[in-house]
Amino acid sequence: MNMKDFSLEGKIAWITGASYGIGFAIAEAYAAAGATVVFNDINQELVNKGLAAYAEKGIPARGYVCDVTDESAVNELVAKVEKEVGVIDILVNNAGIIKRIPMCEMSAADFRKVIDVDLNAPFICSKAVIPAMIQKGHGKIINICSMMSELGRETVSAYAAAKGGLKMLTRNICSEYGEHNIQCNGIGPGYIETPQTAPLRERQPNGSRHPFDQFIISKTPAARWGKTEDLQGPAVFLASDASNFVNGHVLYVDGGILAYIGKQP
């Protein structure tokens, strides 16, 4: 085994929605592995926040405003990146949203919005970068899926539908473009410590765990929430030459939740 196969030296990586959280952690790992980082977010405020965070880490990232559900805007962004930075070697479809609403209380408009961001946008972004990847003779597309690609849970019907669809889009990109040396895989994070999940991990006034925190710990063989750092190694592997014969796969980074039926009461 050649450890250089894990290097991303000379590669250009575009991570969508990577101003903070999981996307930022993946971008940080890619920079450490030698890649040039490009990211986008929905507005200038978030892009500025991201640029400041990257600068604090000493990472010379390029940030752009782009709505990944807007096909014209995505095509313009890809053309701009190719002109200013170079052809994109690695795409991470990280941008996503969730609306926790019981299905029968959820409007069709809210359902469509989640599908648009979590499924249509990865389709749009992947379609935008694949032609240049074909010309270059290689490419890596990594979709941030979820355990909800495999499981359902109350209040997340739209999110689960989108992530299940993203799993199948991952397999289909593999099927259509694998012969062009393009690998499309997914990462399925478990429950990860991020600013969005912080309220679910706060200690209660009596010092006990939040009920949802208790639930997650009880369902996870690792007996903890994941950290964004737990996703960095898998993300580098799937972006590197070390994974050149891995295609159409979703790598679940979940502390073992999907393998576990739970403790007997």
Side-chain angles (χ1 to χ4, degrees), residues 1 5-8 26 29-30 33 90 140 142 183 185-187 230-247 249-251 253:
M1 182 178 70
D5 287 344
F6 291 89
S7 172
L8 302 182
I26 290 173
Y30 285 176
I90 303 158
K140 302 280 186 174
I142 299 165
Q183 291 84 50
N185 293 290
I187 293 176
D230 291 318
L231 300 166
Q232 292 179 323
V236 169
F237 167 65
L238 292 177
S240 72
D241 289 343
S243 62
N244 281 350
F245 205 56
V246 179
N247 210 352
H249 175 72
V250 179
L251 174 54
V253 186

Side-chain angles (χ1 to χ4, degrees), residues 15-133:
I15 304 97
T16 68
S19 296
Y20 59 92
I22 288 173
F24 181 87
I26 290 173
E28 185 181 7
Y30 285 176
T36 297
V37 169
V38 172
F39 75 98
N40 74 284
D41 223 312
I42 190 69
N43 58 49
Q44 191 64 54
E45 182 181 359
L46 283 172
V47 170
N48 290 343
K49 177 182 176 181
L51 287 171
Y54 286 109
E56 187 177 343
K57 295 279 189 177
I59 299 171
R62 298 284 195 105
Y64 299 87
V65 175
C66 181
D67 177 354
V68 287
T69 68
D70 183 334
E71 187 168 11
S72 296
V74 167
N75 290 336
E76 289 174 12
L77 172 60
V78 170
K80 191 172 185 179
V81 170
E82 288 180 355
K83 182 179 179 180
E84 296 180 357
V85 188
V87 172
I88 293 164
D89 300 286
I90 303 158
L91 165 64
V92 180
N93 284 309
N94 166 75
I97 62 170
I98 188 169
K99 291 182 181 289
R100 295 183 177 89
I101 305 170
M103 180 176 165
C104 288
E105 297 173 19
M106 189 176 211
S107 68
D110 277 341
F111 190 92
R112 290 190 190 102
K113 178 64 176 175
V114 175
I115 298 294
D116 205 22
V117 176
D118 292 358
L119 180 56
N120 289 342
F123 164 77
I124 290 168
C125 293
S126 299
K127 190 159 73 84
V129 301
I130 284 171
M133 287 179 173

Side-chain angles (χ1 to χ4, degrees), residues 205-219:
N206 65 1
S208 66
R209 290 182 181 274
H210 187 288
F212 191 79
D213 188 15
Q214 293 180 30
F215 168 71
I216 294 306
I217 296 301
S218 72
K219 291 293 185 182

